[in-house]
């Protein structure tokens, strides 16, 4: 069995973790990105903005962490999005498609009744990265 190095990924281009977790963890060639909320890198919470702005920021945070780990949207294998209100699904899908371009990872969108701090969207992901 091959030893796999597990190491955290941290970038100033996404909000710092607010709890006992890493922005992401790289385990061998896999990157596990923690749930990203609509919070700017400087810590500004966007809970008072419309769904579209919140979704765009959460996706941007995910992509910033992916980039910091040496990846791109093409490296995404799986994305899970938690959205408040099933009626936000078409808006989420449009923003997601715009941000990810040609990348089409496996995806699950989970409508939920509420999220922490009153946010309307949270997104996490798994990516397969080039060997380093």
């Amino acid at each position: 069995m091959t030893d796999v190095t597990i190491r955290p990924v941290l970038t100033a281009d996404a909000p710092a973790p607010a709890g006992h977790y890493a922005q992401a963890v790289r385990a061998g060639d896999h990157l596990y990105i923690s749930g990203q909320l609509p919070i700017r890198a400087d810590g500004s919470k966007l809970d008072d903005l419309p769904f579209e702005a919140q979704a765009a920021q959460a996706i941007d945070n995910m992509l910033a962490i992916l980039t910091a780990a040496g990846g791109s949207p093409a490296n995404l294998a799986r994305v899970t999005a938690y959205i408040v209100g099933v009626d936000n699904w078409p808006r989420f899908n449009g923003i997601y498609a715009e941000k990810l371009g040609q990348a089409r990872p496996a995806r699950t969108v989970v409508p939920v009744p509420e999220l922490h701090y009153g946010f309307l969207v949270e997104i996490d992901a798994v990516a397969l990265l080039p060997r380093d």
Side-chain angles (χ1 to χ4, degrees), residues 10-104:
L10 181 65
T11 179
D13 294 330
H20 190 73
Y21 62 92
Q23 285 175 330
V25 172
R26 182 165 183 164
D29 297 339
H30 292 84
L31 180 70
Y32 301 91
I33 301 173
S34 294
Q36 296 300 304
L37 294 165
I39 301 172
R40 290 191 180 112
D42 67 4
S44 303
K45 295 178 181 175
L46 306 185
D47 56 314
D48 59 338
L49 293 183
F51 178 84
E52 292 83 357
Q54 290 193 36
Q57 185 64 57
I59 294 168
D60 285 347
N61 291 343
M62 175 192 70
L63 293 175
I65 295 165
L66 177 63
T67 299
S72 71
N75 297 110
L76 289 168
R78 175 133 180 82
V79 173
T80 304
Y82 304 90
I83 62 170
V84 174
V86 72
D87 54 318
N88 283 320
W89 195 315
R91 287 187 286 272
F92 175 79
N93 197 56
I95 294 162
Y96 178 87
E98 178 183 316
K99 296 279 186 184
L100 269 63
Q102 296 300 310
R104 289 182 178 255

Side-chain angles (χ1 to χ4, degrees), residues 15 63 122 131:
L63 293 175
E122 182 172 0
R131 295 187 187 275

